[in-house]
Amino acid sequence: MSSSDRLSHFSLKQEAVTFEPSRHAGLQRLGQFKPRAGAHYANQRNFDLGSDNRSTVSGLSPWIKHRLVDEKEVLAEVFSVHDLSASMKFVQEVFWRGYFKGWMQQRPSVWHYYKSNLKLAFEGLERDLSRKADYVEATKGRTGISCFDHWCSELKSTGYLHNHARMWFASIWIFTLRLPWELGADFFLNHLIDGDPAANTLSWRWVGGLHTKGKTYLACPSNIAKFTEGRFEPIGQLSTTAEPLTEEVDHSLVPLMPVQPMPEGDFLLLITPEDCQPNTFIEAQPAGVLGLLPASNSHQSEKVQAFAQGAVADALSRFEHLTSPATATNNWVEHLVEATRLAGTTQIVTSLATLGPVASHLDAAKARLAEHGISLHQHQRTYDGLVWPHATKGFFNLKKKIPTVLTDLGFVMQ
Ligand SMILES: Cc1cc2nc3c(=O)[nH]c(=O)nc-3n(C[C@H](O)[C@H](O)[C@H](O)COP(=O)(O)OP(=O)(O)OC[C@H]3O[C@@H](n4cnc5c(N)ncnc54)[C@H](O)[C@@H]3O)c2cc1C
């Protein structure tokens, strides 16, 4: 790292990010960040300067996760200031999200296997009280490893962690504390306001050596000291080895569903926390709009639920004359049947949800809605349709295709 790189984050003023669940706030943050999406991001992105200074990264993940601001808009804003070669590192990071989502969508057993092993891991804690105590101490940030304890409390108080802190945290969880990775992934999903089943599950698997088989990520004190600007240096506290985790199962590739055309005629638009901008690509006017979220589970933080609820409410506010408030419920069928009846239609259109709680609700609702004569259409964004087919193997395959995908999205590349 050159001395000018080193100086440049000091020369920026302290820059905390306030995560408000609105499109307006997401666009404001994008506008603030975009001048730095070129060389500054490439050189500084690994520095975690703490929650009161997010100047090295975009901090856009909570808005992108809920698609209050989507990937194409982020790329367009960045290209208004930088060309592709200058912003390549940032662009690649944006594509990592689509890579993980497309990869897991084509290997659904990874998600189902994680969910069933998570249940087993919780049951295992009841049989091993010493491990249970370690788990409780870890989730309360009382391990005595000060960086880990700090990130635990930062995660709970802000709903966000820097990427490097997530990697260090997951590595310490798996290799130093020797806790099951599924419990750590669950803890993240319950506290990250950008919590995404694909990005989170596959990142934890990547740290543990299950995604790129045999390749693990080991957190080490000198790397932590360097990239936290000396805030932490856990000498002698961390495991110095990282034996890859293994699993018996081979996750086979399941072809993506063919893209369905939009149905003809009137429809009810269903907005979920998976996509709070469906009006940007579903052009027809809906006959009614409904916003639904999965009911909060008892472990989910209030911040996570409040951001998701706020994001859906923000999306609904763009259809003022057509809507009722966003509802968090596990009884989707009843709400959908009633709203469809009120809208005078028998068709529901919603954005295609990838594996996770929203997709589970939609899958469960589909057959029951059919019994009421109501069809459910899940519409795929062009961006996802272009990215996911390249996410069958390692990221490198998608990385090679980035210029082609950008051209297909309508960007003019020099
Ligand atoms: C253990 C672990 C768990 C994670 N869990 C999640 C999660 O639940 N949800 C989530 O969105 N990301 C997750 N990530 C990826 C990454 O840490 C976050 O996307 C990133 O820190 C968000 O901060 P940012 O917006 O400032 O990112 P920036 O560095 O500014 O990147 C811009 C955008 O690119 C995308 N992106 C960047 N890095 C990644 C990545 N490695 N994987 C996928 N997308 C990426 C995000 O949408 C991000 O907003 C996880 C990483 C690890 C190591």
Side-chain angles (χ1 to χ4, degrees), residues 41 57-61 93 160 163 166 194-196 200 203:
Y41 178 83
V57 289
S58 74
L60 284 168
S61 51
E93 292 307 313
Y160 174 91
N163 180 59
R166 296 181 200 209
D194 66 23
D196 176 82
N200 189 57
S203 297

Side-chain angles (χ1 to χ4, degrees), residues 33 41 45 57-62 64-65 90 93-94 96-97 100 160-163 166-167 170 188-189 192 194-196 199-200 203-204 207:
F33 166 74
Y41 178 83
R45 58 183 280 272
V57 289
S58 74
L60 284 168
S61 51
I64 298 177
K65 186 249 133 82
F90 181 74
E93 292 307 313
V94 172
W96 265 102
R97 174 180 142 89
F100 277 147
Y160 174 91
L161 281 182
H162 184 282
N163 180 59
R166 296 181 200 209
M167 290 161 61
F188 263 26
L189 269 190
L192 282 171
D194 66 23
D196 176 82
N200 189 57
S203 297
W204 276 85
V207 170

Side-chain angles (χ1 to χ4, degrees), residues 188-314:
F188 263 26
L189 269 190
N190 285 327
H191 290 279
L192 282 171
I193 52 176
D194 66 23
D196 176 82
N200 189 57
T201 309
L202 298 182
S203 297
W204 276 85
R205 286 173 60 86
W206 178 85
V207 170
L210 292 169
H211 186 71
T212 311
K213 290 220 180 317
K215 186 174 174 289
T216 52
Y217 176 76
L218 180 66
C220 79
S222 59
N223 178 269
I224 293 174
K226 175 177 170 186
F227 288 106
T228 59
E229 293 288 1
R231 290 185 299 131
F232 303 106
E233 190 171 19
I235 291 175
Q237 291 190 295
L238 307 187
S239 171
T240 52
T241 56
E243 266 304 293
L245 305 176
T246 54
E247 62 187 2
E248 297 298 306
V249 55
D250 197 18
H251 300 287
S252 52
L253 195 79
V254 175
L256 290 166
M257 296 284 281
V259 177
Q260 304 288 324
M262 270 287 286
E264 307 260 308
D266 281 349
F267 63 90
L268 174 85
L269 176 64
L270 168 64
I271 296 179
T272 74
E274 287 281 295
D275 194 328
C276 295
Q277 279 295 317
N279 49 310
T280 57
F281 70 106
I282 296 174
E283 280 154 17
Q285 273 301 314
V289 186
L290 179 69
L292 292 180
L293 305 92
S296 169
N297 73 50
S298 55
H299 302 289
Q300 193 172 53
S301 82
E302 277 177 25
K303 273 191 185 305
V304 169
Q305 186 70 10
F307 196 97
Q309 184 109 23
V312 175
D314 188 70

Side-chain angles (χ1 to χ4, degrees), residues 46-294:
N46 283 325
F47 284 90
D48 176 5
L49 307 177
S51 59
D52 54 3
N53 193 350
R54 291 291 175 220
S55 59
T56 59
V57 289
S58 74
L60 284 168
S61 51
W63 292 287
I64 298 177
K65 186 249 133 82
H66 296 87
R67 281 189 156 155
L68 279 167
V69 180
D70 67 50
E71 291 95 325
K72 192 177 168 193
E73 290 178 299
V74 171
L75 295 169
E77 284 299 300
V78 167
F79 294 145
S80 71
V81 185
H82 311 277
D83 64 19
L84 177 58
S85 68
S87 57
M88 191 46 124
K89 192 68 216 165
F90 181 74
V91 171
Q92 283 172 4
E93 292 307 313
V94 172
F95 272 89
W96 265 102
R97 174 180 142 89
Y99 166 74
F100 277 147
K101 289 187 87 73
W103 195 97
M104 199 162 86
Q105 202 62 8
Q106 293 175 84
R107 285 188 177 74
S109 62
V110 169
W111 174 247
H112 301 305
Y113 191 67
Y114 155 71
K115 292 294 281 178
S116 54
N117 280 346
L118 175 63
K119 194 162 167 279
L120 293 177
F122 273 119
E123 286 165 10
L125 291 184
E126 297 312 316
R127 291 190 302 273
D128 183 344
L129 294 184
S130 154
R131 181 175 265 195
K132 184 175 181 180
D134 290 346
Y135 167 76
V136 170
E137 294 301 284
T139 55
K140 290 199 182 299
R142 291 194 309 226
T143 63
I145 303 170
S146 61
C147 54
F148 184 95
D149 294 346
H150 171 88
W151 294 319
C152 187
S153 115
E154 183 179 327
L155 172 62
K156 287 181 181 173
S157 61
T158 67
Y160 174 91
L161 281 182
H162 184 282
N163 180 59
H164 226 157
R166 296 181 200 209
M167 290 161 61
W168 294 320
F169 187 103
S171 180
I172 295 170
W173 182 285
I174 297 170
F175 300 116
T176 298
L177 302 176
R178 302 202 156 274
L179 288 165
W181 73 267
E182 294 90 346
L183 294 176
D186 175 67
F187 179 64
F188 263 26
L189 269 190
N190 285 327
H191 290 279
L192 282 171
I193 52 176
D194 66 23
D196 176 82
N200 189 57
T201 309
L202 298 182
S203 297
W204 276 85
R205 286 173 60 86
W206 178 85
V207 170
L210 292 169
H211 186 71
T212 311
K213 290 220 180 317
K215 186 174 174 289
T216 52
Y217 176 76
L218 180 66
C220 79
S222 59
N223 178 269
I224 293 174
K226 175 177 170 186
F227 288 106
T228 59
E229 293 288 1
R231 290 185 299 131
F232 303 106
E233 190 171 19
I235 291 175
Q237 291 190 295
L238 307 187
S239 171
T240 52
T241 56
E243 266 304 293
L245 305 176
T246 54
E247 62 187 2
E248 297 298 306
V249 55
D250 197 18
H251 300 287
S252 52
L253 195 79
V254 175
L256 290 166
M257 296 284 281
V259 177
Q260 304 288 324
M262 270 287 286
E264 307 260 308
D266 281 349
F267 63 90
L268 174 85
L269 176 64
L270 168 64
I271 296 179
T272 74
E274 287 281 295
D275 194 328
C276 295
Q277 279 295 317
N279 49 310
T280 57
F281 70 106
I282 296 174
E283 280 154 17
Q285 273 301 314
V289 186
L290 179 69
L292 292 180
L293 305 92

Side-chain angles (χ1 to χ4, degrees), residues 48 328 352 398:
D48 176 5
L352 180 60
L398 172 59

